[in-house]
Amino acid sequence: FFVQNMRNEKGKLLLTNESAEWEALRRAGYDLLRAQLVPLTSSLAEIGQPLSARSATIALTGLMVLSDWIGSNTDFFPPDCETPLDEYVQRSVERAQNAITKAGLAHERAVPTYTTFRDLFNITEPRPLQCLIDKLDAGDLAGPALYIIEAPTGEGKTEAALALARRIAAAEGSDELFFALPTMATGNQMFGRLSKLYHSLYGTLGAVKLIHGQAALVQDELRRLALLDHTYEDDDPDTRQPVSGDEMLHWFSSSKRALLAPFGAGTVDQVEMAGLHTRYYMLKLFSLAGKVIVIDEVHAYDTYMSTILERTLCWLSVLGSSVILLSATLPSQRHARLAHVFLQGVLGEDVAVPTIPADMDYPALSIYSARQQRSREVAAFRDEQRLTLRWIHDDSYTAQAQRLLDLVADGGAVARLCNRVDDAQQIVRELRRLAPGSGILIHARFPLKQRQSREKRINRRVGRDSPRLPTDRVIIVGTQVLEQSLDYDVDVMITDLAPIDLLLQRAGRLHRHDRPRLPRFQDAVMYVQFPVSEQLPDWKRWERIYDEYLLWRTWEVMQKRIAGGLIPIMLPRDYRPLIEKVYTAELPALDPAAPHTEAMRKAWETMQADGKKMEGEARLRLTPKPLSPAHITLGDLLQFLEDEEGALIGWQAAKTRLGERITVIPVYEVDGRLAIDPQGRRRLTSKLDTDMQSALLNRALTISDERLVAALAKIDWPWPKLPALLKNTHPLKLDASGSAMIAGIPLQLDPLLGLTINQETV
């Protein structure tokens, strides 16, 4: 195999300038392995040809890498050079069994079974979508299959996906799963839910691995909280002992091995890395092969991420994985494209693109496999909800803050969602000036520990189980963190305008839970803020965040629904029609007399050009096509640096998300030395113990401001050998007041506002 693949099409060895002895040694090694694995008296043809050469190559390579990691561990396989070969082979078999057991790869769990959704989650009244899972037949569960669940928030999509994964496990006899979320915060939440579920099914053998860039900091505490009610092995108070899955998962602690764990939760970046051409992409694919992969919030991914996801989906289908995609709703063209690439993996490249009608039922569960392509309609759980939108144009931060205070003057909870961090910070500045102590601020530029503390505070005040009274006054201000990452409920909402799918996603937190409300909050109202210039919307402030065309089109579609100054929406009835009107494959007919027509046309052209550019950037970094009959190494000239944490900059980084970003850790310069506190009591040295490393990482935050990233990347820690936990981080050196000047831009780490950029200090 190796000798054949090291030759070019003319049979000439690709390796040059080497001794002829090496080819003889390779041949001897090949003969030795073949004698052990395939007797020389047998023909290799008897093994047969794989259905897909490239998928077989990936599987074999992944297995070899895994085997090499275990086999090269001298704790498992101590050097034994003088032992005769036959004796060594037998001894290695015994050592190999011991090695995979100690690595956690040989634990035998009970055969997965499934009875009903009620039994799995101990829920007496499942929602319609959840009941549908019980009604699927054997053909629906035959994999590999792609399942697309489209339903509004509050319909129980997550539990339905987990029940579906369990049904697939019972049908196939394999229950391994990875749940992919858009952010680390949502990954942390899902980790807790999965830990409870799989612990109830398997005890310690159901330990779940948290997989993202900051997992090492939070996994143990999140597992402890998740299993607070399941921490004992028996009911005898004298003998019961805490249970934990940490020991079983120890071998999977390396970032390269994490996906091999049987049960995992983390960011979607982990799945997308399997579609990018990095050194270990074949191990990522091998780790996901045969598993059920659940990917949430699929509608939120841009062209760059979607292009990577499509290549990964095709690989997963070829490798026998079933995939469950969750979304509030997908544009029909996007739905069709995802289904098509998956079907190519099971039916071949020539399979037709599925036809997705624009008026397809909603909510719905769609199934795509070698056996079928169909959609199952399902009733909505929540009664049809009337939502009213109102345009507002508050032209100052003071006016925006005052509106929040007025809305909850006599009680109630309001959320203010901003598209930009600095807008959220400025609104809270004004809130604190007008009403000291008011407002909870949350965004991605808080140090990790502080952000987690704020998430917990929001959950206590307005979460599903919060005991808040109708007269309690709660004001929450934040960014897209409030759109995706938290399960909360407010009486009224103010949001910056965003593309229609994200606007409806934000509305899903409005009257999300059943609770008593003041009379004036009985109707769900969402105020939509955007700046205007010469009587038209002005999108300049958000042009780096969302496509200007999608903002124009969302505004235009909603503008046509205005009646008496209000925009009525009925959910879930209007979900799909609204999204289909905004996300069209072609530019809709424009009114030549409308004052915004030319701006929309230019925005459309810009969006098309940007989309092609993003797709090209992604395709440059993609893994080889899984369906090509050519050798997988053919044309394999470029290899990129793995960067699921977004810590690297430059074209050579295999980023899962487009745009430069950098992870920094705020520290203080005191008397020429670095310290973790402004007084210099906890100084940093080159010999950092684990506690200090954890303390530093708990201060980490990500900066994506393109003006700062390159400059911050040049600032390194002052030690020649960096502790492993601090890899790919950079110090943000602050003075005693928490300030810094980077690339001529003032930064301030404020305890109430987080990291401010180019703003006056409080």
Side-chain angles (χ1 to χ4, degrees):
F1 174 83
F2 292 107
V3 172
Q4 290 173 351
N5 282 278
M6 285 191 293
R7 296 181 182 277
N8 63 18
E9 295 178 355
K10 296 182 179 180
K12 183 179 179 181
L13 270 176
L14 297 178
L15 300 179
T16 58
N17 299 323
E18 69 169 24
S19 169
E21 183 181 7
W22 279 109
E23 183 170 10
L25 288 172
R26 282 194 294 271
R27 171 58 66 180
Y30 169 81
D31 290 340
L32 179 63
L33 285 172
R34 175 172 172 173
Q36 296 300 321
L37 301 176
V38 183
L40 293 174
T41 55
S42 301
S43 168
L44 288 177
E46 295 176 14
I47 299 176
Q49 293 294 323
L51 296 177
S52 168
R54 288 194 163 186
S55 62
T57 301
I58 288 295
L60 177 60
T61 305
L63 177 62
M64 290 173 65
V65 172
L66 173 60
S67 301
D68 177 61
W69 280 347
I70 298 174
S72 60
N73 187 325
T74 55
D75 291 336
F76 296 150
F77 296 91
D80 203 357
C81 302
E82 303 301 326
T83 306
L85 180 60
D86 291 343
E87 182 180 340
Y88 178 81
V89 169
Q90 180 57 40
R91 191 175 299 174
S92 292
V93 170
E94 297 168 359
R95 288 172 173 169
Q97 184 61 50
N98 176 62
I100 63 172
T101 300
K102 287 187 175 181
L105 296 169
H107 292 292
E108 293 187 9
R109 300 182 296 274
V111 176
T113 60
Y114 182 90
T115 52
T116 65
F117 184 92
R118 288 183 176 87
D119 293 338
L120 182 61
F121 289 101
N122 194 26
I123 295 176
T124 55
E125 296 185 10
R127 298 172 184 183
L129 175 62
Q130 298 164 345
C131 291
L132 176 61
I133 304 303
D134 287 353
K135 299 174 183 177
L136 299 179
D137 58 35
D140 296 328
L141 303 171
L146 175 68
Y147 305 86
I148 300 180
I149 298 178
E150 296 175 273
T153 57
E155 295 295 314
K157 292 192 292 290
T158 297
E159 289 80 7
L162 292 175
L164 176 54
R166 189 66 180 170
R167 285 215 64 187
I168 296 170
E172 298 185 350
S174 175
D175 59 355
E176 297 195 356
L177 172 139
F178 182 74
F179 207 118
L181 289 302
T183 66
M184 286 188 285
T186 49
N188 291 346
Q189 292 179 353
M190 184 54 59
F191 170 74
R193 296 167 75 172
L194 287 185
S195 292
K196 286 183 178 180
L197 174 62
Y198 283 99
H199 188 275
S200 69
L201 293 171
Y202 297 123
T204 55
L205 293 183
V208 178
K209 185 81 177 76
L210 181 62
I211 310 174
H212 60 59
Q214 296 172 344
L217 293 176
V218 296
Q219 176 174 275
D220 293 349
E221 176 64 9
L222 289 175
R223 180 179 289 114
R224 186 189 69 80
L225 293 174
L227 304 183
L228 209 55
D229 298 327
H230 305 275
T231 54
Y232 297 106
E233 293 179 330
D234 56 55
D235 295 324
D236 184 346
D238 297 323
T239 62
R240 60 191 184 183
Q241 297 291 326
V243 298
S244 170
D246 294 341
E247 183 178 348
M248 192 194 82
L249 291 175
H250 176 72
W251 190 80
F252 301 100
S253 59
S254 163
S255 61
K256 291 183 174 63
R257 296 197 290 259
L259 274 180
L260 288 162
F263 309 116
T267 54
V268 69
D269 308 75
Q270 306 301 322
V271 174
E272 294 213 322
M273 284 306 302
L276 292 174
H277 196 273
T278 62
R279 183 180 180 187
Y280 287 104
Y281 82 84
M282 68 294 295
L283 186 70
K284 297 274 188 184
L285 288 170
F286 176 76
S287 301
L288 296 172
K291 286 183 177 176
V292 174
I293 315 299
V294 185
I295 305 177
D296 199 7
E297 308 284 7
V298 179
H299 61 274
Y301 304 148
D302 61 17
T303 301
Y304 180 84
M305 293 182 69
S306 297
T307 302
I308 300 170
L309 179 60
E310 289 168 15
R311 176 59 53 87
T312 309
L313 280 179
C314 192
W315 268 116
L316 291 174
S317 64
V318 168
L319 291 169
S321 299
S322 288
V323 179
I324 304 172
L325 303 180
L326 306 182
S327 177
T329 185
L330 286 170
S332 56
Q333 56 180 321
R334 184 85 194 99
H335 183 129
R337 191 163 175 174
L338 292 170
H340 184 232
V341 294
F342 190 90
L343 286 172
Q344 285 182 314
V346 292
L347 294 174
E349 286 189 291
D350 296 334
V351 64
V353 178
T355 300
I356 312 297
D359 60 349
M360 187 175 76
D361 295 327
Y362 184 83
L365 166 61
S366 302
I367 306 173
Y368 302 94
S369 68
R371 295 189 176 197
Q372 61 179 307
Q373 300 176 36
R374 68 163 175 163
S375 176
R376 296 282 297 267
E377 180 183 6
V378 59
F381 166 69
R382 299 176 67 180
D383 294 334
E384 195 151 62
Q385 177 190 17
R386 181 183 177 87
L387 171 67
T388 301
L389 270 62
R390 298 182 61 176
W391 296 147
I392 57 174
H393 316 294
D394 293 331
D395 58 1
S396 70
Y397 294 119
T398 301
Q400 294 185 49
Q402 187 61 57
R403 186 185 290 272
L404 291 171
L405 292 169
D406 292 343
L407 282 172
V408 295
D410 59 351
V414 58
R416 173 65 170 98
L417 278 78
C418 301
N419 293 340
R420 293 174 56 113
V421 173
D422 47 358
D423 287 337
Q425 291 171 327
Q426 295 284 24
I427 290 172
V428 170
R429 282 181 191 272
E430 290 301 301
L431 272 176
R432 299 270 167 81
R433 186 181 65 82
L434 297 171
S438 61
I440 305 172
L441 176 64
I442 187 166
H443 54 70
R445 289 212 306 257
F446 277 107
L448 175 63
K449 198 72 173 180
Q450 200 172 354
R451 174 174 164 176
Q452 291 172 340
S453 175
R454 288 169 179 267
E455 289 176 358
K456 292 176 182 178
R457 185 180 173 194
I458 290 172
N459 187 57
R460 288 194 301 268
R461 298 301 306 276
V462 292
R464 178 183 294 274
D465 300 318
S466 69
R468 76 177 176 92
L469 300 174
T471 53
D472 291 344
R473 296 176 65 214
V474 184
I475 300 175
I476 302 169
V477 181
T479 55
Q480 289 84 349
V481 174
L482 292 174
E483 175 187 304
Q484 297 179 342
S485 299
L486 298 169
D487 180 6
Y488 65 93
D489 162 271
V490 291
D491 300 312
V492 61
M493 179 177 288
I494 303 178
T495 176
D496 287 344
L497 192 137
I500 187 64
D501 50 336
L502 304 182
L503 201 63
L504 296 178
Q505 178 84 356
R506 297 175 184 187
R509 270 67 180 177
L510 182 60
H511 290 208
R512 182 182 180 97
H513 303 143
D514 292 330
R515 64 171 74 245
R517 306 183 194 278
L518 293 175
R520 65 195 191 92
F521 293 135
Q522 293 303 305
D523 296 329
V525 178
M526 186 165 77
Y527 296 86
V528 181
Q529 160 78 26
F530 56 87
V532 294
S533 176
E534 298 180 359
Q535 306 302 313
L536 285 177
D538 183 353
W539 311 122
K540 290 181 181 177
R541 189 157 181 77
W542 302 330
E543 62 185 359
R544 295 185 181 277
I545 303 171
Y546 302 118
D547 285 313
E548 183 181 346
Y549 171 78
L550 294 178
L551 296 175
W552 273 120
R553 184 60 178 158
T554 297
W555 172 80
E556 185 180 62
V557 168
M558 304 305 284
Q559 190 79 355
K560 292 177 180 179
R561 297 173 70 99
I562 290 181
L566 304 178
I567 305 171
I569 296 176
M570 295 296 290
L571 300 178
R573 182 199 311 172
D574 287 338
Y575 260 102
R576 200 179 295 281
L578 286 174
I579 287 176
E580 291 300 328
K581 286 181 180 179
V582 172
Y583 287 90
T584 56
E586 303 293 336
L587 178 65
L590 301 178
D591 179 0
H596 63 282
T597 292
E598 188 57 29
M600 275 192 70
R601 188 187 311 279
K602 289 181 179 179
W604 167 268
E605 293 170 354
T606 299
M607 185 179 74
Q608 298 305 306
D610 289 347
K612 291 179 180 179
K613 183 178 179 180
M614 284 192 285
E615 184 175 350
E617 288 282 350
R619 291 197 177 281
L620 175 68
R621 294 164 171 82
L622 293 181
T623 55
K625 294 181 179 180
L627 302 176
S628 171
H631 286 304
I632 200 166
T633 56
L634 195 64
D636 190 9
L637 300 178
L638 289 176
Q639 189 175 87
F640 296 86
L641 301 176
E642 186 172 317
D643 186 33
E644 74 268 22
E645 297 175 32
L648 303 177
I649 62 174
W651 72 271
Q652 77 277 18
K655 292 183 175 295
T656 53
R657 304 175 192 233
L658 200 58
E660 305 290 9
R661 54 195 173 123
I662 191 168
T663 300
V664 299
I665 298 177
V667 291
Y668 297 88
E669 285 192 297
V670 182
D671 299 329
R673 295 176 60 187
L674 298 183
I676 202 170
D677 63 296
Q679 295 77 28
R681 289 190 293 264
R682 302 181 67 188
R683 294 180 184 270
L684 305 179
T685 68
S686 59
K687 296 181 180 179
L688 298 176
D689 59 26
T690 303
D691 289 342
M692 182 59 80
Q693 292 179 49
S694 294
L696 285 169
L697 285 175
N698 273 310
R699 295 173 57 77
L701 56 87
T702 300
I703 295 178
S704 56
D705 190 310
E706 61 184 17
R707 300 171 299 169
L708 296 169
V709 171
L712 286 166
K714 297 176 182 178
I715 304 174
D716 292 320
W717 297 97
W719 314 301
K721 186 175 182 181
L722 195 63
L725 287 178
L726 299 183
K727 181 183 178 183
N728 294 331
T729 69
H730 296 264
L732 174 57
K733 299 177 182 180
L734 307 171
D735 61 23
S737 69
S739 301
M741 185 69 71
I742 306 293
I745 300 171
L747 281 69
Q748 172 80 23
L749 184 60
D750 186 282
L752 298 177
L753 301 178
L755 184 71
T756 65
I757 299 176
N758 203 23
Q759 294 183 23
E760 296 179 0
T761 58
V762 177

